[in-house]
Amino acid sequence: MPIITIAGYKGGICKSTTAIAVASLLSAEGKTLVIDGDPNRSASVWAREGKLPFTVVGEREAAKVMRSESFEWIVIDTAARPSKAEIEELARGCDLLISPCPPDMLSLDALVLMAQDLPQETNWRVLISAVPPHPQTDGNDLREALTAKGYPTFKQGIRFYKAYKNAVTEGLPIQKTKGGKIGWRDWQTLKPEILRAIVKPSSAKS
């Protein structure tokens, strides 16, 4: 039961969007649970219509739900601005930590601070999110900066589309809302990278 945690030192970096999209991808591989640990409860709000292909619960409900049901994948949406101790616990408690980062200086600064606080053995990846449309080069510029710092970064970035807002309002997976199929292609391209990056619990012991 691999655990994927979505975390960052700043709000507004597309954490909840990433959690929902990653869970949508993994639900095609097996029964998936999203644990909503964000006080804003964005993932729970997205799921309240009951139209998502996976279960979303608050962190205080998670233990009971996991005791009564069997899941193959766990995705955790975390609170913004965790403390150093909290990010260390989150990192050690998952098989892959994904940190979304939009191409702006404040987000990059927050990412640098988080990277400094991650335990050395952390299996993590940066996901470049909210990439503006061509011909703007912000996404590529951020990728160059991340490469220069040596941060492990997914090759596929996630472009910004209005469909994401529609999906939240309608309580639908991104690919099921009007105009969402184009945005969904980014996630489908990303999926193999995620699966390759996950350290399965069984292999982690060897």
Side-chain angles (χ1 to χ4, degrees):
M1 185 177 63
I3 299 171
I4 301 174
T5 294
I6 317 299
Y9 268 8
K10 180 181 178 296
I13 58 173
C14 305
K15 268 193 317 83
S16 296
T17 298
T18 299
I20 293 294
V22 168
S24 295
L25 289 172
L26 296 177
S27 66
E29 304 295 322
K31 193 171 182 180
T32 301
L33 175 69
V34 172
I35 299 176
D36 189 356
D38 189 338
N40 292 328
R41 289 293 185 262
S42 298
S44 297
V45 170
W46 199 328
R48 63 186 171 188
E49 297 294 330
K51 300 175 182 178
L52 299 177
F54 48 84
T55 302
V56 179
V57 297
E59 56 186 341
R60 291 178 177 81
E61 304 171 75
K64 184 176 181 180
V65 172
M66 292 172 68
R67 191 171 65 233
S68 61
E69 299 182 51
S70 178
F71 295 93
E72 294 185 45
W73 302 91
I74 305 293
V75 178
I76 303 176
D77 185 18
T78 63
R81 307 174 190 87
S83 67
K84 183 178 185 294
E86 287 171 334
I87 198 66
E88 289 176 351
E89 289 178 0
L90 289 168
R92 292 193 172 105
C94 70
D95 302 295
L96 173 64
L97 186 146
I98 298 175
S99 186
C101 184
D104 64 73
M105 187 56 66
L106 292 177
S107 296
L108 178 57
D109 287 348
L111 178 68
V112 170
L113 292 175
M114 190 195 78
Q116 293 171 350
D117 290 341
L118 287 174
Q120 187 174 2
E121 70 276 12
T122 303
N123 180 36
W124 72 296
R125 300 291 187 279
V126 180
L127 174 62
I128 301 176
S129 58
V131 178
H134 183 77
Q136 297 181 65
T137 63
D138 303 52
N140 288 332
D141 293 344
L142 175 58
R143 184 176 303 283
E144 290 178 2
L146 295 172
T147 300
K149 292 181 178 297
Y151 294 166
T153 305
F154 287 123
K155 292 180 180 179
Q156 178 63 44
I158 304 301
R159 292 168 289 181
F160 174 79
Y161 292 101
K162 183 182 177 182
Y164 288 104
K165 295 181 180 179
N166 296 338
V168 175
T169 301
E170 298 166 6
L172 290 171
I174 297 155
Q175 69 272 27
K176 297 293 185 180
T177 195
K178 183 178 179 181
K181 290 183 178 179
I182 297 177
W184 184 240
R185 291 174 192 163
D186 289 346
W187 295 102
Q188 288 178 308
T189 303
L190 177 67
K191 182 177 179 179
E193 291 192 69
I194 293 175
L195 295 177
R196 286 195 299 269
I198 295 170
V199 174
K200 298 289 180 64
S202 57
S203 63
K205 296 177 183 178
S206 58

